[in-house]
Amino acid sequence: MGSPSPAATQTILVVDDDRKVLRMAEDMLRTMGYTVIGTLDPVVALRYARMPGAIDLLLTDVVTPLMRGGQLAQEFRGIRPGAKVLFMSAYNVHEVEAYRVTLAPGEPFLKKPFTMDELQQTVQAALVYRPPATRPRPRPG
């Protein structure tokens, strides 16, 4: 018997206020072998984040009525500093900046609508993504 795939040991918390998008993403991710926790409500997502157990990735919509994705991501990172965040939106990368979501260079972003292949590739990229190292500013001499 072979070893389990990485997906078999990873948990993804999915947040989207559109029930159809949420269910589709959950179904696709489960098909890929991930453990999935899904919710329509960002406040509930933060409750899940505070519970024991692994959450490797937060996959969240940028625009939800109860809390913007940027705020959710900030609070989630405060609770689970080692976990990754992947934003998704029907808006393009440049338009999401209006919602206070600024992506680092090379940071993955999932454009809706998406295919199963696009979801899989983007989730995998998000799980291995490392933000660029920030250099300390030189002190004035």
Side-chain angles (χ1 to χ4, degrees):
M1 188 153 107
S3 63
S5 70
T9 61
Q10 294 175 312
T11 300
I12 301 176
L13 175 57
V14 183
V15 183
D16 198 300
D17 62 308
D18 182 325
R19 189 174 307 276
K20 288 180 181 177
V21 172
L22 177 64
R23 296 297 172 240
M24 181 186 71
E26 288 176 318
D27 290 346
M28 287 179 173
L29 291 166
R30 283 189 184 107
T31 298
M32 293 173 210
Y34 294 100
T35 299
V36 181
I37 304 166
T39 182
L40 299 163
D41 186 335
V43 175
V44 172
L46 291 172
R47 282 191 211 131
Y48 284 127
R50 289 183 186 94
M51 292 178 169
I55 297 177
D56 301 287
L57 177 71
L58 168 66
L59 172 58
T60 183
D61 194 4
V62 170
V63 182
T64 63
L66 299 172
M67 180 186 301
R68 297 289 186 231
Q71 180 185 351
L72 173 59
Q74 182 178 5
E75 292 187 35
F76 177 79
R77 285 177 173 135
I79 298 165
R80 296 201 174 241
K84 306 294 181 146
V85 174
L86 173 59
F87 292 103
M88 63 179 162
S89 181
Y91 297 108
N92 70 40
V93 174
H94 303 294
E95 292 171 322
V96 300
E97 291 179 2
Y99 295 95
R100 297 186 180 170
V101 171
T102 304
L103 300 174
E107 185 173 358
F109 175 79
L110 184 61
K111 178 86 167 88
K112 294 194 284 186
F114 49 83
T115 66
M116 190 159 174
D117 284 343
E118 290 167 336
L119 177 63
Q120 185 169 25
Q121 290 170 9
T122 309
V123 164
Q124 288 173 347
L127 286 166
V128 298
Y129 175 75
R130 300 276 183 262
T134 56
R135 293 183 179 166
R137 291 185 178 167
R139 293 183 184 182

